[in-house]
Amino acid sequence: MSNMPDTDHILRQSAEQKYATELEQLKQQDQLLKPTGWQLSAHAVRQFILGDTALNISKKFYGDDALVDRALVTLMGKQGLMLVGEPGTAKSMLSELLSAAIGGSSQFTIQGTAGTTEDHIKYSWNYALLLAEGPSEKSLIPSPLYHAMQHGKIARFEEITRCPPEIQDVLVSLMSEKQMMIPEMGQQHSLHAQQGFNIIATANLRDRGVHEMSSALKRRFNFETVKPIKDRTFEIELVQQQLKQELKDLYKEVKIKPQVIELLVTIFNELRTGQSLQGANLKTPDAVMSTAEAVNIAHAASLQAIYLGNGELQAGHLAQQLLGVVFKDNADDAKRLRYYLDTVVKERARQDNDWKAFYEASREF
Ligand SMILES: Nc1ncnc2c1ncn2[C@@H]1O[C@H](COP(=O)(O)OP(=O)(O)O)[C@@H](O)[C@H]1O
Ligand SMILES: [Mg+2]
């Protein structure tokens, strides 16, 4: 028996576990100059995130290649990287991929909440040791950010705008001085960040606004807005790929026609943009119509098809998930969706069996 954790069966692997082979391969081949403290060159990090068919490196982030380049340049410099956008636009994913590729670990992560304190960001104490021996390296409990500074890695700060602004501001001096004062261990005592250290923060536009962030802190970051995927072909490809990943072994138990995924992506795309493919204006719902949400729906609908149906994913399953799960709690959204169903979807249902199945299943709600 080995003591190694069975990483194939844990519910969610970190990016560095999931893509260990790709990262190793890139490391072996990487001949280019690496920024100090990075384990890969910027070019190799780019290949890792955007994919490279010749090297058999999978494409992971779809849509905005230039954003990845700008993110890399930011991370080489003095400022931190702030990824802002709607929920489900792959901000967290991108921050995880970047930190895994640049420093080899995406685990130095602080999750911002209303209850985040200065201790979560800096360090706390083992009080038994503190009382017995006084403040020392031994009695200090480092935060993930402390670790990242100490080892020259990327720290991730998720959902930073959920923290009260005065807590966010703990980062200001830390980012400009690249050191963390530890006054308990003496007036001058501080931790100096190793080269390679930087911060990637993410912020959802639907949370407390970024505008409440102090201007001092804003100046320490380069802001990048991550937008939903525009290209329908890309989004279809991504949903298919992710669905396969989510279903794992179950994937072979379900028959999925490409047209059904296309239908789902079209619906999300139209509701998200407030425009049908034919150019009709629609009301956009409050519900999050992200790619990630489309994958969730396709996943749930596939389980339904496997365990409760005949093994074929049908448009009707998607309608049930969409209406029964996403739209059930919001009456205004339900109205907006009803309008969409009774105009755009109904029209298509005349000519296409999948749209027809979707429309008919939706009438049960
Ligand atoms: N542009 C994109 N490229 C690749 N995957 C995407 C993209 N947009 C969304 N996704 C998918 O959506 C998932 C959820 O994204 P996540 O990083 O949690 O979003 P956020 O942090 O912005 O709320 C990602 O893990 C990925 O599977
Ligand atoms: Mg996130």
Side-chain angles (χ1 to χ4, degrees):
M1 284 289 283
S2 129
N3 290 324
M4 291 293 285
D6 175 5
T7 50
D8 284 345
H9 290 93
I10 54 180
L11 212 46
R12 191 175 178 288
Q13 295 178 300
S14 67
E16 56 273 24
Q17 290 171 332
K18 189 166 162 195
Y19 301 114
T21 323
E22 286 189 9
L23 287 170
E24 193 48 42
Q25 183 195 345
L26 284 166
K27 236 192 252 177
Q28 298 298 332
Q29 288 170 342
D30 198 3
Q31 307 280 341
L32 298 169
L33 188 66
K34 301 179 183 69
T36 323
W38 288 28
Q39 63 162 16
L40 289 175
S41 66
H43 185 74
V45 178
R46 185 181 202 278
Q47 281 174 316
F48 175 66
I49 293 173
L50 297 175
D52 187 317
T53 15
L55 295 179
N56 213 3
I57 303 290
S58 61
K59 183 168 181 64
K60 300 170 191 72
F61 180 67
Y62 286 82
D64 194 347
D65 294 6
L67 184 144
V68 174
D69 289 342
R70 290 194 304 270
L72 286 167
V73 173
T74 295
L75 289 170
M76 283 178 228
K78 289 203 182 73
Q79 278 169 305
L81 173 65
M82 177 78 64
L83 300 171
V84 299
E86 292 283 311
T89 45
K91 298 179 296 298
S92 299
M93 184 190 85
L94 201 51
S95 109
E96 194 181 348
L97 293 172
L98 284 164
S99 53
I102 292 172
S105 176
S106 59
Q107 302 300 295
F108 303 115
T109 305
I110 299 170
Q111 182 66 50
T113 68
T116 303
T117 63
E118 186 163 343
D119 288 3
H120 295 134
I121 300 179
K122 294 166 88 176
Y123 51 83
S124 52
W125 299 100
N126 174 330
Y127 283 103
L129 278 178
L130 185 68
L131 287 175
E133 301 178 9
S136 69
E137 305 277 351
K138 240 169 76 190
S139 50
L140 181 146
I141 305 173
S143 72
L145 193 93
Y146 186 109
H147 272 296
M149 290 178 79
Q150 195 173 27
H151 300 291
K153 306 285 185 193
I154 305 283
R156 300 169 52 207
F157 203 134
E158 286 280 289
E159 315 283 11
I160 190 169
T161 46
R162 288 194 188 162
C163 305
E166 63 275 16
I167 297 298
Q168 299 173 20
D169 275 350
V170 172
L171 291 179
V172 172
S173 73
L174 205 147
M175 290 179 78
S176 43
E177 323 278 326
K178 306 287 184 225
Q179 59 174 321
M180 190 189 287
M181 300 307 291
I182 312 174
E184 294 91 335
M185 294 213 273
Q187 267 314 309
Q188 300 302 320
H189 197 99
S190 68
L191 169 75
H192 292 265
Q194 291 292 310
Q195 287 202 313
F197 167 72
N198 206 334
I199 299 182
I200 306 177
T202 63
N204 270 325
L205 291 174
R206 294 203 183 194
D207 289 339
R208 182 214 304 265
V210 184
H211 58 269
E212 279 188 42
M213 186 178 283
S214 74
S215 51
L217 185 59
K218 276 187 193 154
R219 278 200 306 278
R220 303 297 185 289
F221 282 101
N222 266 341
F223 281 67
E224 287 289 348
T225 304
V226 190
K227 301 236 168 67
I229 305 179
K230 275 207 208 77
D231 187 319
R232 239 163 46 88
T233 330
F234 262 172
E235 197 174 357
I236 292 168
E237 189 183 324
L238 180 65
V239 171
Q240 278 164 334
Q241 176 203 318
Q242 299 240 314
L243 183 57
K244 191 170 171 181
Q245 269 180 27
E246 295 254 319
L247 285 169
K248 300 201 178 98
D249 294 342
L250 282 175
Y251 184 71
K252 59 180 188 319
E253 307 292 337
V254 58
K255 186 161 173 285
I256 302 172
K257 277 195 305 186
Q259 294 90 312
V260 173
I261 299 298
E262 199 179 323
L263 172 144
L264 177 68
V265 169
T266 304
I267 291 171
F268 268 66
N269 199 297
E270 292 182 319
L271 288 173
R272 178 163 71 219
T273 56
Q275 254 205 349
S276 78
L277 295 179
Q278 286 72 29
N281 283 330
L282 303 163
K283 291 223 166 61
T284 52
D286 293 332
V288 176
M289 303 302 291
S290 66
T291 313
E293 202 53 50
V295 174
N296 287 342
I297 290 201
H299 183 233
S302 301
L303 295 180
Q304 196 184 349
I306 295 168
Y307 291 114
L308 296 167
N310 65 1
E312 173 161 6
L313 175 64
Q314 315 215 330
H317 295 133
L318 297 175
Q320 285 178 28
Q321 291 301 327
L322 190 69
L323 277 91
V325 181
V326 185
F327 285 98
K328 73 167 188 312
D329 296 326
N330 182 329
D332 290 334
D333 270 7
K335 251 189 255 158
R336 292 171 187 136
L337 184 66
R338 185 51 61 197
Y339 177 77
Y340 174 68
L341 290 165
D342 286 334
T343 56
V344 179
V345 176
K346 191 174 177 184
E347 183 58 35
R348 284 181 196 144
R350 289 178 209 257
Q351 293 150 36
D352 182 292
N353 280 334
D354 292 320
W355 285 95
K356 186 159 177 234
F358 189 92
Y359 182 67
E360 297 205 323
S362 78
R363 285 165 50 109
E364 287 163 29
F365 286 85

